[in-house]
Amino acid sequence: MPAWLKDAVFYEIYPQSFKDTNNDGIGDINGIIEKLDYVKELGCNALWINPIYDSPFKDGGYDIRDYKKVAPRYGTNEDLYRLFGEAHKRDIHVLLDLVPGHTSEEHPWFLESKKAERNEYSDRYVWTNCWFYGINGHPYVGGEADRDGTYMLNFFKCQPALNYGFLNKTQDWQLSPDDPACIATREAMKDVMRFWLDHGCDGFRVDMADSLVKDDDENKSATGKIWKNIREMLDKEYPEAAIVSEWCNPQQALKSGFHADFYLDHQGNGYNTLLRDYETPGGDHSFLKKDGNGDIMRFLLDYLPKYDATKEDGYISFITCNHDTPRARRTLELDELKLAWALFLTLPGVPFIYYGDEIGMRYFELPTKEGGYTRTGTRTPMQWTNGKNKGFSEASSDMLYLPIDESEDAPTVENQAQDPSSLYNTVKALTALRHKYADLQADGSFEVIYAEKEQFPFVYRRGNLLIAINPSGNKANATLSDKAFVKEKDPSGSHCALNEVYSIGGCQISGNSLTINPQSFAVFELK
């Protein structure tokens, strides 16, 4: 486990939308460098940058044309190398996005693979052996190549699937995962990783990490075997490099070698019930919504088995949002977001803050841009100032990658930095608290102290810190067990006093009784 992950707080940057320095309306690497001090001051000491590679941008850059070349819209490879160096000067680690499952249809590998003549890339992608044969259970394209066959897609038509084999072969054109051609695909991806790690990258967030071997078993054992092999390479050659998976199954991902796995917004799962329950039929009963009348047990019944099964293997990563998910401001107001981010930043694992969530940027219903579709409204430009284009770009507004929030009350860093009670300053205080107390960091212990079905508050322990949250609009009470007042690993079992070290709203503890005001959050230290 890379030591730096223990105290990491990540900041996700969608590079197109973060900061434009050459006035073309699109964010760039120099813009990220310019804002590294901002990231540091926010309390984030790690970055995840969405794909920054050469691409036709039919899927926002997840259709990669060259894994080892920066897209010209963002700058040059040398600019990215400089970003690594400037980040490291500030003790900030940088993860790039790794997309191992597919490439752009314009990638040189695929252009060779399409040829009728056999060559070293013929089996780099998944092809049938006849133009008339489809691929049962998988999307595919035919009639686009001189080669006699159809090819599999991972997502859009522009994203042919790389070939890591089929676990259970049912057709003669399918290869097994240990076929030399499939091993060559794995080794090519390791080569890409080495290239960026050698230039200063600190690791990767891995896109669709569970999708490599096709028709894998329910445990994804064949795909997991590939990642274990890659983890062995990292442990030997780059022991401080980290890999974080887009898998949302920590029992599989962490045991396959990933250091952390995202707890993603999947309809009806525990994370979803906290703040996006509107995606589930029956009304919005999100726990973190003031009038949601939520139920913390819906979260805990999903989360706790995952946490208990994997806490020795790696970390579960909570996200405020990401580039694929509607911003939480879609349904939560700024005061509700304070409590949401307070919860995410005090739970175990490695947290990720999506750019702009620290000021409560809005989600917009927008026409699709570069394959974004419903995701487009989460990718609007960062709102820095009250000036032109909210400080994102000096370009004319019609040149902007996406439109800026023109609302009179559009949140900006400039406005919120001046307000001690703002969401921005709340996030700064919470990240500072997390860095100050080792008990709040990724591997600190976690224990539920009070959680009742359809009741508030939720009370939990992180080491010798007692934390209470009441996102509802009503005052809440709880009777705490004696173990809430006993220091961790204290054989005497003596009852300790509590000292409040941080709060939003108000919370009081008298004896074993806790009373917490509406929309409040508090952290107490056992003394």
Side-chain angles (χ1 to χ4, degrees), residues 117-129:
E117 303 80 15
R118 292 283 301 175
N119 61 70
E120 66 174 301
Y121 299 104
S122 294
D123 294 324
R124 182 59 53 88
Y125 298 83
V126 179
W127 290 88
T128 68
N129 58 6

Side-chain angles (χ1 to χ4, degrees), residues 247-268:
W247 197 313
C248 199
N249 190 323
Q251 292 100 317
Q252 294 177 358
L254 300 182
K255 293 181 185 298
S256 295
F258 282 93
H259 301 100
D261 181 42
F262 283 117
Y263 200 4
L264 296 172
D265 178 40
H266 290 171
Q267 184 172 322

Side-chain angles (χ1 to χ4, degrees), residues 292-488:
N293 298 313
D295 181 359
I296 193 62
M297 294 307 300
R298 296 172 66 203
F299 162 69
L300 291 174
L301 288 172
D302 183 60
Y303 170 68
L304 281 177
K306 295 174 179 176
Y307 170 75
D308 289 337
T310 61
K311 59 187 176 182
E312 304 301 325
D313 301 311
Y315 305 132
I316 296 173
S317 285
F318 285 85
I319 59 172
T320 62
C321 177
N322 66 20
H323 61 290
D324 287 332
T325 305
R327 289 191 186 269
R329 184 74 190 278
R330 186 181 196 178
T331 56
L332 301 184
E333 295 300 323
L334 295 176
D335 285 345
E336 293 169 310
L337 290 179
K338 289 180 183 179
L339 299 187
W341 302 168
L343 178 63
F344 292 164
L345 288 168
T346 56
L347 286 172
V350 182
F352 282 70
I353 298 171
Y354 185 56
Y355 83 96
D357 277 354
E358 71 273 23
I359 57 172
M361 281 177 55
R362 293 184 169 92
Y363 172 82
F364 292 94
E365 302 287 347
L366 294 174
T368 186
K369 175 80 170 188
E370 296 184 346
Y373 296 96
T374 56
R375 305 172 295 177
T376 304
T378 290
R379 302 173 177 184
T380 55
M382 179 64 179
Q383 295 154 204
W384 297 104
T385 71
N386 299 321
K388 182 177 180 180
N389 297 322
K390 298 293 186 288
F392 165 68
S393 172
E394 289 299 314
S396 59
S397 59
D398 62 334
M399 291 177 61
L400 298 184
Y401 177 73
L402 286 171
I404 204 81
D405 183 354
E406 297 291 357
S407 309
E408 286 189 12
D409 62 346
T412 65
V413 173
E414 180 180 2
N415 281 348
Q416 293 199 14
Q418 299 169 6
D419 177 4
S421 65
S422 68
L423 178 60
Y424 165 78
N425 279 309
T426 298
V427 171
K428 284 185 69 174
L430 288 163
T431 57
L433 192 73
R434 186 179 177 95
H435 294 312
K436 179 179 179 180
Y437 290 98
D439 284 343
L440 288 179
Q441 293 168 11
D443 61 351
S445 64
F446 173 72
E447 182 182 7
V448 175
I449 297 299
Y450 181 90
E452 298 290 340
K453 183 176 175 62
E454 298 178 351
Q455 298 292 321
F456 299 91
F458 172 40
V459 184
Y460 52 102
R461 280 271 300 265
R462 299 292 316 281
N464 290 320
L465 297 176
L466 185 72
I467 303 170
I469 182 170
N470 175 25
S472 78
N474 302 307
K475 184 176 288 188
N477 302 286
T479 299
L480 307 181
S481 61
D482 287 339
K483 68 179 180 179
F485 303 91
V486 178
K487 281 190 175 183
E488 189 175 45

Side-chain angles (χ1 to χ4, degrees), residues 237-250:
E237 301 177 29
Y238 307 93
E240 285 298 295
I243 47 174
V244 181
S245 56
E246 183 190 33
W247 197 313
C248 199
N249 190 323

Side-chain angles (χ1 to χ4, degrees), residues 222-295:
T223 295
K225 185 177 178 181
I226 293 172
W227 290 116
K228 289 175 184 175
N229 177 275
I230 291 173
R231 172 66 183 269
E232 288 174 5
M233 179 272 287
L234 292 176
D235 286 349
K236 180 179 179 181
E237 301 177 29
Y238 307 93
E240 285 298 295
I243 47 174
V244 181
S245 56
E246 183 190 33
W247 197 313
C248 199
N249 190 323
Q251 292 100 317
Q252 294 177 358
L254 300 182
K255 293 181 185 298
S256 295
F258 282 93
H259 301 100
D261 181 42
F262 283 117
Y263 200 4
L264 296 172
D265 178 40
H266 290 171
Q267 184 172 322
N269 76 354
Y271 174 87
N272 185 265
T273 69
L274 291 175
L275 73 170
R276 293 192 176 87
D277 194 48
Y278 59 84
E279 297 173 347
T280 303
D284 188 351
H285 297 290
S286 297
F287 177 74
L288 293 163
K289 188 171 174 60
K290 179 180 178 180
D291 57 358
N293 298 313
D295 181 359

Side-chain angles (χ1 to χ4, degrees), residues 57-261:
F57 290 100
K58 295 180 180 179
D59 184 21
Y62 281 89
D63 49 323
I64 296 171
R65 186 164 49 200
D66 188 339
Y67 284 105
K68 297 181 180 180
K69 179 184 177 183
V70 167
R73 63 159 56 165
Y74 301 128
T76 65
N77 280 31
E78 286 67 29
D79 291 330
L80 188 52
Y81 307 155
R82 187 166 69 91
L83 168 60
F84 297 148
E86 291 297 322
H88 294 160
K89 288 178 185 178
R90 296 163 173 81
D91 296 319
I92 295 173
H93 291 82
V94 182
L95 298 190
L96 296 182
D97 223 314
L98 184 70
V99 185
H102 55 261
T103 69
S104 163
E105 61 191 348
E106 298 180 20
H107 195 291
W109 295 347
F110 189 65
L111 298 180
E112 290 296 312
S113 194
K114 288 171 65 176
K115 292 179 178 178
E117 303 80 15
R118 292 283 301 175
N119 61 70
E120 66 174 301
Y121 299 104
S122 294
D123 294 324
R124 182 59 53 88
Y125 298 83
V126 179
W127 290 88
T128 68
N129 58 6
C130 177
W131 65 273
F132 194 65
Y133 293 166
I135 305 174
N136 290 339
H138 299 279
Y140 64 93
V141 169
E144 292 273 320
D146 294 335
R147 179 174 180 164
D148 184 9
T150 63
Y151 60 89
M152 186 186 292
L153 303 175
N154 254 7
F155 196 41
F156 290 158
K157 179 262 177 189
C158 61
Q159 293 163 316
L162 286 163
N163 194 1
Y164 294 89
F166 287 74
L167 180 58
N168 297 302
K169 296 169 55 180
T170 59
Q171 304 290 331
D172 58 3
W173 50 264
Q174 295 173 347
L175 303 179
S176 64
D178 59 358
D179 187 276
C182 299
I183 292 174
T185 305
R186 181 196 71 195
E187 293 304 308
M189 206 51 56
K190 286 159 74 172
D191 176 66
V192 169
M193 297 173 75
R194 288 186 179 102
F195 176 84
W196 291 111
L197 291 167
D198 288 343
H199 281 101
C201 171
D202 298 296
F204 302 90
R205 172 269 188 185
V206 180
D207 181 70
M208 296 175 63
D210 63 333
S211 69
L212 300 188
V213 175
K214 304 308 178 186
D215 298 345
D216 207 345
D217 60 31
E218 63 179 10
N219 293 319
K220 298 295 180 78
S221 60
T223 295
K225 185 177 178 181
I226 293 172
W227 290 116
K228 289 175 184 175
N229 177 275
I230 291 173
R231 172 66 183 269
E232 288 174 5
M233 179 272 287
L234 292 176
D235 286 349
K236 180 179 179 181
E237 301 177 29
Y238 307 93
E240 285 298 295
I243 47 174
V244 181
S245 56
E246 183 190 33
W247 197 313
C248 199
N249 190 323
Q251 292 100 317
Q252 294 177 358
L254 300 182
K255 293 181 185 298
S256 295
F258 282 93
H259 301 100
D261 181 42

